[in-house]
Amino acid sequence: MNGRRQFDTDELAQLARQVCEQAQGPEQIEVCVSTGRSTSVRAYNGDVESLRSGHSAAIGVRVVTEGRQGFASAGSLDDDVVADTLAAARRNVMFGEPDPHQGLAEPDDVAPPGLDLSDPAVLSVSDADKIAAAIDLERRCLSADPRISGVRVAAWSDGWSQSALASSTGICVQSEHGSCSVGAQPLATDGDETQIGYAGDAAWRPDELDVDRVITESTSLATGQLGATKPPSERVTVVLAPPVAAAFIGVVASVLAADSVLKGRSPFADRVGEQIADERLHLIDDPTDPTTLGAANFDGEGLAARRNALISAGVLRGFLHNAYTARRSDTASTGSAVRGTRSLPGVGTHAPVVATGDIASGDLYASVGDGVLVRGVSGLHSGVNPTSGDFSVGAWGHRISGGELAEPFREATIASTLQRMLLGIGGIGATAERLAGGMSMPPLVVADIALSGV
């Protein structure tokens, strides 16, 4: 086979099965193969700054023999490369530490959601249309507000991928899908001061991209920070804007993954069945929702994707598992294996969702009285201690005074712990904002957060 040829998903599945059929004796083999194509366009000063496109192919082979695991990968599907990759994975087994829980996923008879994610609309967009979209995005940002002095980034990107996974335990699945995205980073200027905003969106289809939101959000973030100053240090109630709330919920979800728990990197280990959050919080991982880019029919080990409740009415319902963590924890996989073709499966969310609450959009700031709206954070992942739950991250946004949005602030930090933050949720917005990739998130009101500025 030639690695440069275009495979369809049936051919990829056949290739993966052929490698798996070479299992010898007690050996287990898992093969993940994929091909893809992508395009990116950036506009600057009303013209094309860059246009890049490419094709890729990849294979990852995992071999498990009597509790020892070996893995190898390559960036080609040529026959000799495939054979060499299998041989390398077999050699690597001898370097693996024996682990009685190590092994491939076994079919569990859970039916996949049967989502049709192979909409070819993204393939019909011509390069000329992609260029026009990027240039128009820049133009519209520049005309959105007289204070917008330039646009650092105005970009379009898209991709299409096909993949298959097979194992000697009887799993064989395949998928095909594409997506596209736009992003803008405008500059706002007032005298000698310049501020930067950013927003983006991604979707399965070009007509699902919310370009209006990208323009409005990116330019308002830039202009909204003009004149911002450091706030006084105090303990305040904060409103986490939907993108910020989503980022924090993503961190919470990451420490509810069983691999984090088993490594001692979760403050919620041994707390299943306990109240870990305000009773208004309901958090699920739902890859069965076809409107999000996290939607999937199968997880990274070929098991059916499924809806998993993590927190219900503030109570921790359980952790996310792949096959390995499930064996170590004497439970079943939750279909939460995540991986790339050239990496081993880990554990993670596909599409985390927080249920909306009862605070209407128009009443959000009034419900707080005095506090701050956090519109953006920096250093979130490096600023969180996954073992203790402590966090301290950079933040910017607006003061809330007398129930109204007031002056902007910047160069501040917010600090607390994940545990106190979850229990301190004092309200959840009744309306969820659609974020990049189709994920929806309501704003969260959290009490007693340390705000540090001057």
Side-chain angles (χ1 to χ4, degrees), residues 341-367:
T341 302
R342 303 186 66 177
S343 64
L344 288 166
V347 187
T349 58
H350 290 86
V353 178
V354 169
T356 54
D358 59 2
I359 303 179
S361 298
D363 299 330
L364 188 63
Y365 303 140
S367 72

Side-chain angles (χ1 to χ4, degrees), residues 98-154:
D99 186 335
H101 306 291
Q102 195 60 261
L104 305 184
E106 303 276 352
D108 61 6
D109 298 324
V110 176
L115 306 178
D116 182 5
L117 303 175
S118 58
D119 191 322
V122 70
L123 296 175
S124 65
V125 183
S126 67
D127 284 350
D129 286 340
K130 298 171 188 179
I131 291 169
I135 291 175
D136 187 59
L137 179 60
E138 180 192 42
R139 179 189 61 78
R140 292 182 62 190
C141 284
L142 287 169
S143 62
D145 190 292
R147 293 170 292 178
I148 299 298
S149 57
V151 180
R152 177 177 288 180
V153 175

